[in-house]
Amino acid sequence: ARKMLGNTQPKIFISQNIHATRFFQQRPWSRFRRMLVKRLYPQANAIFSISNAVSRDLMQNFQISSHKIIGVKNWVKDVETDMPKAKKTIDIIYVGRFAPEKDLGLLLEAFSQLRKSRQNATLSLVGYGEEEKNIRRKIKQLKITDGVTLPGFSHNIKKHLRQARVFVMTSYNEGIPRAMLEAMALGVPVIS
């Protein structure tokens, strides 16, 4: 960006919301991605990190100077706790990206087991991502299509969370799980 803008000196800030080392291990072109971070991140004016673990990862595994990293805590805002209770129409809800590290296959298998004793149980997977085709295939394979909904991406997560009895997160690695924090702030029990 600096080279394209010529003489002007733009400020460049990077928001690092994930543990890069773990994320790259789960993606193709891992070595290339690591090389890009090592080469390009030091050129930024600052890197905003959401957790101490993410900051340590950048310093230890990518040799990013600690003075470039600024910790920014993730928070949940605007939770209307005085709103009327919504009717609980969803037994279990997941909110987030459909990505390999979210391990949604594990959630679907657990839900399939639950359906053996609670045939009317419902699961809602709110989000989108690269694993959507695999998720849909697994739902059919497990024969749970009548109990699982995929409403897609939503800007109004609180509406979905208020309708849920339980929030589930099966990720095997997370930065700071915002959807889970929002569920907790709304009083929705969490299984993680």
Side-chain angles (χ1 to χ4, degrees):
R2 282 194 177 114
K3 287 180 182 180
M4 288 176 20
L5 293 171
N7 292 334
T8 62
Q9 290 296 311
K11 299 286 184 194
I12 298 175
F13 300 96
I14 297 171
S15 174
Q16 188 67 29
N17 299 321
I18 58 168
H19 191 280
T21 298
R22 289 187 190 141
F23 182 77
F24 293 161
Q25 288 170 348
Q26 300 153 7
R27 297 292 191 283
W29 303 90
S30 178
R31 294 174 98 181
F32 178 69
R33 291 170 192 248
R34 291 177 61 80
M35 184 272 303
L36 284 177
V37 170
K38 282 183 176 182
R39 180 158 179 153
L40 298 176
Y41 276 39
Q43 297 179 43
N45 293 85
I47 301 163
F48 298 110
S49 165
I50 63 163
S51 72
N52 291 337
V54 169
S55 298
R56 272 192 311 276
D57 179 50
L58 290 172
M59 291 184 288
Q60 292 171 357
N61 298 319
F62 298 94
Q63 290 72 50
I64 307 298
S65 172
S66 62
H67 79 276
K68 288 217 176 211
I69 300 172
I70 300 169
V72 178
K73 292 185 178 179
N74 197 345
W75 68 89
V76 178
K77 61 178 184 161
D78 299 332
V79 176
E80 302 91 12
T81 53
D82 58 344
M83 293 211 40
K85 298 265 184 200
K87 185 177 179 188
K88 302 293 183 180
T89 57
I90 303 166
D91 292 314
I92 302 169
I93 192 168
Y94 164 84
V95 177
R97 289 182 303 112
F98 298 167
E101 64 273 10
K102 303 298 183 176
D103 203 7
L104 292 172
L106 175 64
L107 174 56
L108 293 172
E109 289 172 21
F111 182 70
S112 176
Q113 292 298 312
L114 174 66
R115 292 278 294 216
K116 290 177 182 175
S117 60
R118 292 197 59 209
Q119 292 86 12
N120 296 326
T122 58
L123 169 65
S124 182
L125 304 175
V126 181
Y128 69 97
E130 64 197 79
E131 288 290 303
E132 187 167 342
K133 285 183 183 176
N134 293 334
I135 290 166
R136 289 185 185 279
R137 189 177 312 118
K138 184 105 176 165
I139 291 168
K140 287 180 184 173
Q141 174 193 351
L142 293 170
K143 299 178 180 148
I144 52 176
T145 54
D146 61 327
V148 181
T149 59
L150 286 90
F153 175 80
S154 174
H155 286 287
N156 190 359
I157 296 304
K158 292 174 193 162
K159 177 188 101 177
H160 296 280
L161 290 172
R162 282 194 184 92
Q163 297 171 356
R165 288 185 175 85
V166 175
F167 176 93
V168 174
M169 178 167 284
T170 52
S171 303
Y172 48 82
N173 104 49
E174 277 292 331
I176 295 180
R178 183 175 176 95
M180 186 172 82
L181 294 174
E182 290 176 342
M184 291 168 66
L186 291 168
V188 179
V190 172
I191 298 173
S192 175

